């Protein structure tokens, strides 16, 4: 890999690290934000949900925009938007200002993430070179989330507004490096490829409404949630009809004939849901039941960040030796083990008893996350890499939203009161959610084991242009 290629990868890793710490730091800062701005619990929940709506709702459109308008162009432009609205979030004096800033930041990330991923998948030759780049990239993303928990606690101790200002500084550095290192490419030839506006509106609306329904599921009655989901399904059906008739669809439906791509997206959705649902439950257990501080909880969870080291070092060797599908399956089986180890959770468990579960989960993440990224983009033609990346990130993001909401709903339903024993019953019941999700992901990924060890899609390999 050339020095220029490493430079491009460094910039893209910086951007995905930025997204990870942005979300993680805000999680830690929420109580301080509520106290300072006087937000209600409902409004506080939407500080996170507004970002999820923007990120999950516009990801697919962001992926297609990268294919149509240029990957470098989209990456740089939306990085500037991310920088701007992150800074505005730090200046917010009212709840609505913060919500607008978080939604816009989520939209910016939705365009920036698939553009960055497609720069890698089109710039590095498919095979060991691209696999190594993607595994370094995914390890950096995971590291951002793990390290962000600790950095967020430290910055919040000074002033919660630094949780927004720190990403501005990092964004500016990444922007300058991107302008210098990411090579400009000719504007894609869009003759005969008009923007599928009707498809963009319907699918973005469908995803927004569905994420909205999931995010509100624990706060409204089941009938209202079902009605919102029904609206989303109608929009998805309309999108499918539009795409079948369009001469230049936003998402070519033939993409879903790639067995590996479909498996990767379904497994990613379930794996992400289990992972974030588990973190949610463990965080509540440590802080609400055990009385741990935010910073203590952050340091306790950072062991999961072992994947930051293992993803670029151990995982590429395992993929080369055993094949991508086998490594994914192994990672998902380890995730099942990690969640199972936590099921006997007690009211006075020491950290030593929790440590094996957290450590195994970090190992599972290192084996599953990066290889799923490879599987979700492998065998896809270059002009559709942005869409493939958008699909994969939508699956990860939507899975996180479902996992959090499902874990919260089960915990609430199983908690009859506020005593320590009753809270523990709720947490233990909620821990079944990530285990069920991981089992489902492992079952889906098992179907990929029937193919060749080095071919998870069964699709022809397109030519790649090295950076």
């Amino acid at each position: 890999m050339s020095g220029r290629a490493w430079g491009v990868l460094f910039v893209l890793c910086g951007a995905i690290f930025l997204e990870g710490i942005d979300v993680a730091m805000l999680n830690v800062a929420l109580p301080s934000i509520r106290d300072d701005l006087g937000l209600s619990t409902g409004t506080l929940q939407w500080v996170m949900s507004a970002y999820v709506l923007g990120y999950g709702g516009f990801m697919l459109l962001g992926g297609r925009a990268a294919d149509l308008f240029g990957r470098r162009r989209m990456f740089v432009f939306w990085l500037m938007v991310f920088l701007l609205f992150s800074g505005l979030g730090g200046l917010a004096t009212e709840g609505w200002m913060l919500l607008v800033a978080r939604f816009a930041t989520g939209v910016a990330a939705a365009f920036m993430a698939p553009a960055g991923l497609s720069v890698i998948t089109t710039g590095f030759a498919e095979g060991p070179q691209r696999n190594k780049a993607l595994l370094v990239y995914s390890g950096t993303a995971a590291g951002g989330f793990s390290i962000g928990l600790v950095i967020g606690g430290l910055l919040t101790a000074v002033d919660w507004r630094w949780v927004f200002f720190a990403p501005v500084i990092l964004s500016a550095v990444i922007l300058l490096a991107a302008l210098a290192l990411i090579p400009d490419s000719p504007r894609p030839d869009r003759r005969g490829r008009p923007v599928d506006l009707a498809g963009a509106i319907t699918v973005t609306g469908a995803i927004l409404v569905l994420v909205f329904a999931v995010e509100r599921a624990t706060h409204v009655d089941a009938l209202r949630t079902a009605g919102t989901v029904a609206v989303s399904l109608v929009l998805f059906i309309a999108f499918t009809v539009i795409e079948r008739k369009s001469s230049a669809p936003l998402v070519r439906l033939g993409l879903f004939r790639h067995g590996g791509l479909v498996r990767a997206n379904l497994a990613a959705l379930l794996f992400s849901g289990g992972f974030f649902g588990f973190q949610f439950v463990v965080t509540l257990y440590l802080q609400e039941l055990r009385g741990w501080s935010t910073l203590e909880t952050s340091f306790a969870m950072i062991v999961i960040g072992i994947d930051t080291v293992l993803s670029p070092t151990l995982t590429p060797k395992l993929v080369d030796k055993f094949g991508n599908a086998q490594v994914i399956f192994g990672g998902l089986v380890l995730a099942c083990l990690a969640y199972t180890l936590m099921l006997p959770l007690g009211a006075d468990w020491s950290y030593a008893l929790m440590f094996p579960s957290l450590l195994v989960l970090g190992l599972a993440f290192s084996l599953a996350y990066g290889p799923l990224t490879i599987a979700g983009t492998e065998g896809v033609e270059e002009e559709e890499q942005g869409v493939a990346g958008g699909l994969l990130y939508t699956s990860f993001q939507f899975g996180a939203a479902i996992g959090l909401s499902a874990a919260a709903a089960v915990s609430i339903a199983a908690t009859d009161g506020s005593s320590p024993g009753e809270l523990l019953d709720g947490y233990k019941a909620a821990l079944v959610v990530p285990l069920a999700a991981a089992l489902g992901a492992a079952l889906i990924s098992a179907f990929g084991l029937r193919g060749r060890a080095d071919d998870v899609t069964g699709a022809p390999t397109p030519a790649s242009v090295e950076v």
Side-chain angles (χ1 to χ4, degrees):
M1 196 182 297
S2 67
R4 178 65 175 268
W6 277 112
V8 171
L9 184 59
F10 172 79
V11 172
L12 299 174
C13 285
I16 202 69
F17 179 82
L18 171 67
E19 291 178 39
I21 64 166
D22 181 78
V23 174
M25 291 193 302
L26 184 62
N27 268 325
V28 176
L30 286 176
S32 297
I33 293 173
R34 174 168 56 187
D35 294 341
D36 193 24
L37 298 184
L39 304 181
S40 66
T41 301
T43 303
L44 188 69
Q45 183 244 340
W46 277 108
V47 173
M48 284 299 297
S49 297
Y51 182 90
V52 172
L53 268 179
Y55 197 14
F58 286 85
M59 184 71 72
L60 197 53
L61 181 58
R64 189 56 176 159
D67 291 332
L68 290 177
F69 301 108
R71 298 177 177 96
R72 179 184 187 271
R73 185 175 292 105
M74 287 292 98
F75 179 81
V76 169
F77 175 77
W78 289 102
L79 179 57
M80 289 191 291
V81 176
F82 188 97
L83 184 157
L84 173 64
F85 279 94
S86 184
L88 290 176
L91 298 173
T93 56
E94 300 287 342
W96 68 266
M97 296 171 64
L98 191 55
L99 295 184
V100 170
R102 291 306 295 166
F103 180 76
T105 305
V107 173
F111 280 83
M112 186 170 66
L117 178 61
S118 61
V119 168
I120 294 177
T121 56
T122 59
F124 293 87
E126 188 167 327
Q129 186 185 82
R130 184 194 291 179
N131 292 351
K132 180 64 179 290
L134 287 174
L135 292 170
V136 171
Y137 183 72
S138 61
T140 306
F145 190 83
S146 302
I147 296 170
L149 290 172
V150 178
I151 295 176
L154 295 173
L155 291 177
T156 302
V158 178
D159 190 328
W160 66 264
R161 295 183 187 275
W162 276 104
V163 167
F164 293 90
F165 294 147
V168 172
I169 299 171
L170 182 56
S171 298
V173 174
I174 296 170
L175 178 61
L176 292 175
L179 292 171
L181 294 173
I182 299 180
D184 201 2
S185 55
R187 191 181 183 90
D189 184 3
R190 291 177 46 227
R191 286 176 296 182
R193 300 169 67 197
V195 177
D196 180 12
L197 188 59
I201 292 173
T202 51
V203 74
T204 301
I207 295 172
L208 279 171
V209 172
L210 190 56
V211 174
F212 180 72
V214 171
E215 287 291 304
R216 296 177 69 231
T218 57
H219 305 284
V220 299
D221 58 75
L223 185 61
R224 196 174 303 179
T225 297
T228 310
V229 171
V231 172
S232 175
L233 290 177
V234 170
L235 288 171
F236 272 121
I237 293 171
F239 169 71
T240 303
V241 172
I242 290 169
E243 297 307 279
R244 287 187 180 278
K245 295 182 177 180
S246 175
S247 59
L250 182 74
V251 180
R252 185 175 60 83
L253 298 181
L255 265 181
F256 297 103
R257 296 193 187 100
H258 287 257
L261 180 144
V262 173
R263 284 194 300 273
N265 277 271
L266 290 175
L269 186 148
L270 290 170
F271 176 68
S272 176
F275 182 80
F276 283 97
F278 177 81
Q279 283 200 329
F280 173 76
V281 175
V282 173
T283 298
L284 287 181
Y285 167 78
L286 292 176
Q287 293 190 359
E288 292 189 348
L289 186 62
R290 304 297 300 278
W292 289 29
S293 70
T294 299
L295 202 54
E296 287 173 327
T297 303
S298 300
F299 277 112
M301 302 286 280
I302 201 172
V303 65
I304 299 175
I306 189 175
D307 61 319
T308 308
V309 177
L310 297 180
S311 288
T313 55
L314 175 64
T315 307
K317 296 177 182 177
L318 294 177
V319 169
D320 288 342
K321 184 173 183 178
F322 299 106
N324 202 47
Q326 282 74 8
V327 174
I328 291 172
F329 181 73
L332 295 175
V333 170
L334 284 177
C336 296
L337 174 61
Y339 302 142
T340 301
L341 289 173
M342 193 66 84
L343 287 181
L345 185 69
D348 57 351
W349 264 30
S350 66
Y351 183 65
L353 289 174
M354 292 180 272
F355 185 80
S357 178
L358 300 176
L359 182 63
V360 172
L361 183 56
L363 179 58
F365 201 93
S366 69
L367 297 184
Y369 183 67
L372 281 171
T373 305
I374 295 170
T377 56
E378 194 169 28
V380 178
E381 297 294 336
E382 182 172 325
E383 61 268 20
E384 293 183 312
Q385 281 292 333
V387 170
L391 281 170
L392 187 66
Y393 278 131
T394 298
S395 296
F396 277 125
Q397 191 65 32
F398 186 54
I402 291 177
L404 286 169
S405 295
V410 172
S411 179
I412 292 170
T415 303
D416 295 327
S418 57
S419 70
E422 290 165 329
L423 288 174
L424 181 62
D425 289 341
Y427 300 145
K428 293 179 71 171
L431 285 172
V432 176
V433 172
L435 177 58
L439 287 170
L443 179 62
I444 289 169
S445 71
F447 288 98
L449 299 177
R450 295 177 301 175
R452 299 194 313 267
D454 59 347
D455 179 16
V456 293
T457 65
T461 300
S464 298
V465 180
E466 293 190 30
V467 174

